[in-house]
Amino acid sequence: MYKLYYSPGSAAMAAQAMLNEIGAQLGSTVAEFILVDDDKNEQKSAAYMKLNPHGRVPTLVYDGDRVMYESAAICQFLTERHPEAKLSPAIAHADRGLYLQWMAYLTNTVQEALMHWWHNNYFIDGAAEQAKMKAKAEERLAKMWSFLDDELAKNGPHLCGNTFYACDYFLVMLIRWTRSMPKPGHTYPHLNALVKTAMARPGYAKMLKDQGISQPV
């Protein structure tokens, strides 16, 4: 049994969807999902900070008392523990290199730009400078969405071709974070198709329902 600490709409979305799929594969519930209410600043509580000293979600507890955090790492860990879910290619599989490339790109490049848009106050002081950072993040993200949309057009319908993997869940999660932007990620046609594919999977649909959130398409 896993414990996944989450906040609605946070970086826990992909891991929660994956745990739903893993449970369905195994025919049993494999995780307890524990709400961390960021409106009440619970992620900064003393009890939670003992689990995750950075005061962020998600955090995964497994094997009784082992703890890990960082969303992409949790997703990769779950795919390796549960190969039956087929959410990542095996080490010798032809898709393996591309899959690892996309996981790294999404968390190191796309997610970082999204942090600059949503949380520019973490990086720079002053309203004027924060506004500049937000505008620059928007500009960078527009290029990333165009790039990713072109990749899906040429090599899709998923990031690694014909097979849906955890990296696709991760991308769809990040696309949801653009819903308040002038040109959200889901308005690009091939990204939109990927969002619809993820939402049609029971694990992702259940995650959205359980978190009480929706995803624009």
Side-chain angles (χ1 to χ4, degrees):
M1 174 69 77
Y2 298 100
K3 292 181 180 179
L4 183 74
Y5 290 81
Y6 78 97
S7 297
S10 71
M13 290 173 63
Q16 187 165 342
M18 290 171 62
L19 285 165
N20 288 337
E21 284 209 20
I22 291 164
Q25 280 278 342
L26 296 175
S28 64
T29 301
V30 298
E32 177 186 0
F33 302 118
I34 301 170
L35 175 65
V36 179
D37 191 338
D38 52 9
D39 289 335
K40 297 178 180 177
N41 215 31
E42 288 180 354
Q43 75 276 19
K44 301 298 184 184
S45 68
Y48 186 73
M49 293 283 279
K50 286 181 181 178
L51 293 173
N52 187 332
H54 302 291
R56 300 193 301 238
V57 292
T59 297
L60 184 75
V61 179
Y62 64 99
D63 291 352
D65 60 354
R66 292 183 177 271
V67 180
M68 68 179 295
Y69 40 85
E70 295 301 326
S71 181
I74 291 170
C75 290
Q76 184 57 26
F77 176 71
L78 292 173
T79 71
E80 292 174 1
R81 275 201 146 195
H82 298 281
E84 71 280 356
K86 298 181 180 178
L87 286 168
S88 71
I91 289 174
H93 195 284
D95 288 346
R96 182 69 175 189
L98 195 57
Y99 165 80
L100 292 173
Q101 168 197 287
W102 288 127
M103 286 298 285
Y105 175 74
L106 292 172
T107 191
N108 289 348
T109 304
V110 182
Q111 189 171 3
E112 178 236 10
L114 283 160
M115 290 291 288
H116 286 175
W117 196 88
W118 281 101
H119 300 294
N120 38 74
N121 58 304
Y122 291 179
F123 302 97
I124 195 165
D125 294 326
E129 296 306 312
Q130 288 166 3
K132 289 179 185 178
M133 176 174 277
K134 187 171 183 176
K136 178 56 71 173
E138 230 169 72
E139 182 184 316
R140 290 177 61 207
L141 284 160
K143 293 176 181 177
M144 293 174 202
W145 300 135
S146 291
F147 163 70
L148 287 162
D149 199 64
D150 288 345
E151 286 292 311
L152 291 174
K154 291 183 293 185
N155 303 309
H158 312 109
L159 285 172
C160 295
N162 291 324
T163 307
F164 188 99
Y165 292 125
C167 56
D168 297 295
Y169 268 153
F170 208 91
L171 174 53
V172 171
M173 173 182 75
L174 297 182
I175 288 170
R176 185 183 182 273
W177 296 0
T178 69
R179 64 197 182 279
S180 300
M181 295 183 183
K183 186 170 174 55
H186 68 268
T187 61
Y188 294 79
H190 301 284
L191 292 175
N192 182 271
L194 185 64
V195 171
K196 290 177 179 175
T197 296
M199 292 176 67
R201 294 173 73 93
Y204 199 84
K206 186 176 189 308
M207 176 277 296
L208 292 174
K209 181 179 178 182
D210 290 347
Q211 289 199 6
I213 60 176
S214 60
Q215 180 140 1
V217 291

